[in-house]
Amino acid sequence: MVIPVPIMASEWGKRGLKLANVLVLAMLGILAMLSFSRWHYQSALTLLERPSLDKALAKLNLSLHYLPFHSAGITLFADDLHRIETVKGQLYFRLAANANSLSLFKKELENSARAYKQAVDLNPYDSTAMAGWASTLAALQSLSRRSDRQQLYDALPIFAKAQQLRPNSASRAYAFILYLAERGMQSQMLTEIEQLMAIAPFLFYKLRKEDFYTDSLRSAVERGALQASTSTNLRGDALGVLRNIALERKDFPTALSYCEQQLAFPYQRNSPNLYLQAGRLALQIEDTSKAISYFLEAFRQNENKNSAIEQIFNSYHGVKRETDFFLFVKRAGQERELPAITDIYLGKSLMYSGQPELAIARFQRLTTGRYAGESYYCLARIYSEQKDWDRMELAAQKAVVEDRTRPEYHYLFARSLEQQKKYPQAEAAMNEVLTTSLRPNPWYFNKRGWIRYAQKKYSAAIADWQEASRLKPEVPGFLFQISLAYQAGKNDELAREYAERAVVLEPGNARYQKQLAQLRRRS
């Protein structure tokens, strides 16, 4: 019989101590790897802010590499893995936006979708990952809409889940609306727009710039804004939306009512612009007294009095009630001294209201003061209407002398010279116009093109009209003029080409059709 040899307690103790040491070392190793993983993850977030997308992706891959047991297919630290995959989804989506080819664009979107899906599988209650997955699938669905693979991508149920997780997220609701609009899902889109306006009425100003915004959406916007107007926090924004909807319908009394409710709302920060808007609406309903009251408050609150006077004058000018501007000036002048530029706008009121002689007298008195340049400019405009080219030239030239930085002064001077067939001088003046203009203006190039054409400088005229067409390609007249210049330069082939392009843009234009037919007969 074999007698077992007993193990001494001290030997068990030694074995237990060794096992404990192994476990401690293993735990320390796991914690070290987890720390490395999290450090690389934080580094990736920092690189995303710069942004350095490729370096951020490398850091995320390192974060996955060091995540304990991940390489063995064991998910022990699910929260860490979920965070990494969510950020990878965001990163791949941004890489897709920077892709320089369609194939790379699609590849990065698919990478993004996979990462987001894995994040959602790990935590189906994370609205960020769900919304990111929906947006990525929507992009893939749009990309493959014309291919046989369209059925592989369906973002609609994912958007719906994202909405359920964060029903009050305005940005995600807006992304869903864009998706519905692209797919022509009108009924559901109207429902979503109404809900969006109820929680974020301020997004109306972005919504109405979208291509799909039409009159049919107004009712949905209005219903949502009316709901928002019952909330103290949203009432000010909602009333502004309702005012704009009424304006779009040209319902000025209703628009003024909403504007006045905004002004009366105790939590509304009433700006000079809101009072200015109220004054303009009062003018639309011909309530002169109310308009003056609102304009006076706008003037009081605006620190830039010159700008305030200009805005108020333009409000009267916009509805062709320039003479009523005198009533405002009289009332405002009773409260305080008005800025010197007020005299210029009083002169413009006379000019626009058909009283040129009174306007001339006023502007002539102002030519020795601070606003001499503007006074001469206005005189030149009046003389232009009277076709008094000599006096127009003299006044415009004096305006240019007073202020050489104003392109409109040079432009009026060029026009006066053109009317007198002083083409070389007119061209030089137009050169000054283009030099002093802050941004390229197609109509300035157009005018210089005509002046050069009159001098038989056909190549130079063509160059100007080509630049005008580049800046405003929807205008067929520029193409027609290029055709005329090529025809005058004996280049019928190019003349015909540009005539054809003009006809394509405006098929019903008889002049363009006549030019094209004539050139075709000659070919």
Side-chain angles (χ1 to χ4, degrees):
M1 182 177 67
V2 178
I3 301 174
V5 180
I7 300 174
M8 302 300 292
S10 60
E11 290 183 27
W12 283 111
K14 289 178 182 178
R15 291 185 183 183
L17 183 61
K18 287 181 180 179
L19 180 61
N21 287 336
V22 170
L23 289 174
V24 168
L25 290 173
M27 289 297 297
L28 288 174
I30 291 171
L31 289 174
M33 290 182 68
L34 186 60
S35 296
F36 274 126
S37 175
R38 290 174 177 176
W39 181 81
H40 284 297
Y41 172 79
Q42 291 297 330
S43 298
L45 295 183
T46 302
L47 289 166
L48 274 173
E49 293 175 0
R50 290 183 184 175
S52 300
L53 301 183
D54 292 333
K55 292 180 180 178
L57 180 59
K59 286 291 184 182
L60 284 176
N61 287 332
L62 283 171
S63 181
L64 280 174
H65 174 74
Y66 284 110
L67 189 64
F69 307 112
H70 175 69
S71 58
I74 301 172
T75 302
L76 190 61
F77 298 94
D79 287 345
D80 287 84
L81 182 57
H82 168 262
R83 283 194 294 268
I84 294 168
E85 293 297 339
T86 300
V87 174
K88 279 183 73 176
Q90 296 168 352
L91 191 150
Y92 279 124
F93 195 85
R94 290 171 65 177
L95 284 171
N98 295 337
N100 55 13
S101 70
L102 191 62
S103 59
L104 182 59
F105 176 66
K106 183 179 179 182
K107 177 185 174 183
E108 301 295 22
L109 283 178
E110 289 174 339
N111 288 337
S112 176
R114 276 193 294 271
Y116 275 131
K117 184 181 184 305
Q118 187 163 353
V120 167
D121 289 341
L122 289 162
N123 183 359
Y125 300 104
D126 177 25
S127 63
T128 299
M130 191 72 75
W133 188 23
S135 296
T136 305
L137 288 176
L140 283 166
Q141 193 172 347
S142 296
L143 186 64
S144 59
R145 184 162 49 176
R146 298 179 183 176
S147 72
D148 295 335
R149 298 184 63 191
Q150 182 181 358
Q151 66 274 15
L152 293 180
Y153 308 108
D154 185 8
L156 185 59
I158 312 304
F159 269 119
K161 290 179 181 177
Q163 288 290 92
Q164 291 171 2
L165 291 171
R166 282 285 299 275
N168 291 326
S169 172
S171 60
R172 290 167 190 175
Y174 198 91
F176 190 27
I177 288 168
L178 294 179
Y179 172 81
L180 295 171
E182 185 177 353
R183 273 140 198 90
M185 304 173 72
Q186 184 79 359
S187 177
Q188 190 170 354
M189 181 181 71
L190 292 176
T191 301
E192 293 296 329
I193 286 175
E194 181 178 339
Q195 293 175 1
L196 176 65
M197 290 298 104
I199 62 170
F202 59 88
L203 282 174
F204 163 75
Y205 304 102
K206 181 179 181 181
L207 181 68
R208 69 176 177 182
K209 294 177 183 177
E210 301 289 354
D211 292 338
F212 60 83
Y213 182 79
T214 59
D215 294 349
S216 63
L217 302 188
R218 285 180 186 153
S219 296
V221 170
E222 190 172 29
R223 288 193 300 271
L226 283 170
Q227 293 176 51
S229 68
T230 63
S231 165
T232 301
N233 293 333
L234 300 175
R235 182 168 172 77
D237 288 333
L239 289 171
V241 171
L242 292 168
R243 168 170 54 85
N244 276 278
I245 290 292
L247 270 174
E248 288 182 358
R249 292 173 175 154
K250 299 192 183 303
D251 184 354
F252 300 118
T254 301
L256 179 57
S257 173
Y258 283 127
C259 193
E260 289 174 333
Q261 289 180 60
Q262 279 186 280
L263 291 170
F265 184 51
Y267 300 99
Q268 173 75 36
R269 186 176 178 180
N270 296 330
S271 68
N273 284 337
L274 191 55
Y275 283 105
L276 188 70
Q277 181 65 43
R280 288 170 177 166
L281 290 168
L283 282 180
Q284 289 286 357
I285 64 172
E286 300 184 356
D287 192 333
T288 304
S289 176
K290 187 176 280 190
I292 289 175
S293 296
Y294 286 130
F295 285 144
L296 283 172
E297 190 58 37
F299 183 69
R300 293 184 195 112
Q301 291 195 18
N302 197 327
E303 295 180 0
N304 188 335
K305 300 304 179 187
N306 283 2
S307 174
I309 285 291
E310 180 183 11
Q311 290 174 332
I312 293 166
F313 166 77
N314 286 335
S315 300
Y316 283 102
H317 179 49
V319 293
K320 301 187 185 305
R321 297 183 63 181
E322 294 88 0
T323 53
D324 288 347
F325 179 67
F326 281 84
L327 299 176
F328 163 78
V329 170
K330 182 179 179 181
R331 284 281 304 277
Q334 292 170 355
E335 291 188 7
R336 56 167 295 155
E337 184 179 355
L338 300 179
I341 201 170
T342 305
D343 280 326
I344 292 291
Y345 291 107
L346 288 171
K348 288 184 176 182
S349 294
L350 294 168
M351 180 174 73
Y352 288 121
S353 60
Q355 303 177 71
E357 298 308 320
L358 290 176
I360 287 171
R362 179 175 287 273
F363 286 130
Q364 284 177 337
R365 290 198 303 272
L366 296 173
T367 55
T368 58
R370 178 180 176 183
Y371 296 102
E374 189 69 11
S375 300
Y376 281 123
Y377 172 71
C378 291
L379 284 168
R381 290 182 63 183
I382 295 171
Y383 296 142
S384 173
E385 291 294 319
Q386 297 176 340
K387 302 189 186 308
D388 189 340
W389 311 124
D390 286 335
R391 294 172 76 185
M392 177 187 177
E393 176 187 349
L394 182 60
Q397 187 175 34
K398 288 182 177 179
V400 167
V401 170
E402 290 290 337
D403 189 348
R404 294 185 175 277
T405 66
R406 300 283 292 274
E408 63 269 32
Y409 293 2
H410 291 284
Y411 183 77
L412 210 55
F413 184 41
R415 279 188 54 213
S416 70
L417 294 165
E418 180 193 21
Q419 291 294 335
Q420 300 173 80
K421 303 189 186 311
K422 299 178 180 179
Y423 297 124
Q425 298 94 317
E427 183 178 352
M430 282 307 303
N431 291 340
E432 290 296 323
V433 172
L434 291 163
T435 300
T436 55
S437 181
L438 294 177
R439 59 182 62 87
N441 185 320
W443 305 108
Y444 288 163
F445 283 102
N446 181 54
K447 173 58 70 176
R448 190 173 68 174
W450 278 119
I451 291 170
R452 287 173 162 178
Y453 182 85
Q455 299 174 80
K456 299 184 179 181
K457 296 180 176 180
Y458 301 126
S459 296
I462 288 168
D464 276 340
W465 288 330
Q466 284 177 334
E467 181 62 16
S469 184
R470 185 187 69 81
L471 293 169
K472 209 166 182 64
E474 69 273 18
V475 176
F478 299 145
L479 301 173
F480 172 70
Q481 290 156 200
I482 294 171
S483 175
L484 292 178
Y486 273 124
Q487 183 183 21
K490 310 299 183 185
N491 190 334
D492 286 355
E493 184 178 349
L494 285 175
R496 185 174 65 255
E497 177 187 327
Y498 278 92
E500 287 172 347
R501 290 170 59 183
V503 168
V504 167
L505 285 181
E506 193 176 343
N509 190 298
R511 290 180 66 205
Y512 303 167
Q513 292 282 5
K514 182 180 178 181
Q515 169 76 352
L516 180 57
Q518 182 186 37
L519 288 165
R520 282 175 174 171
R521 284 195 299 269
R522 291 170 56 174
S523 63

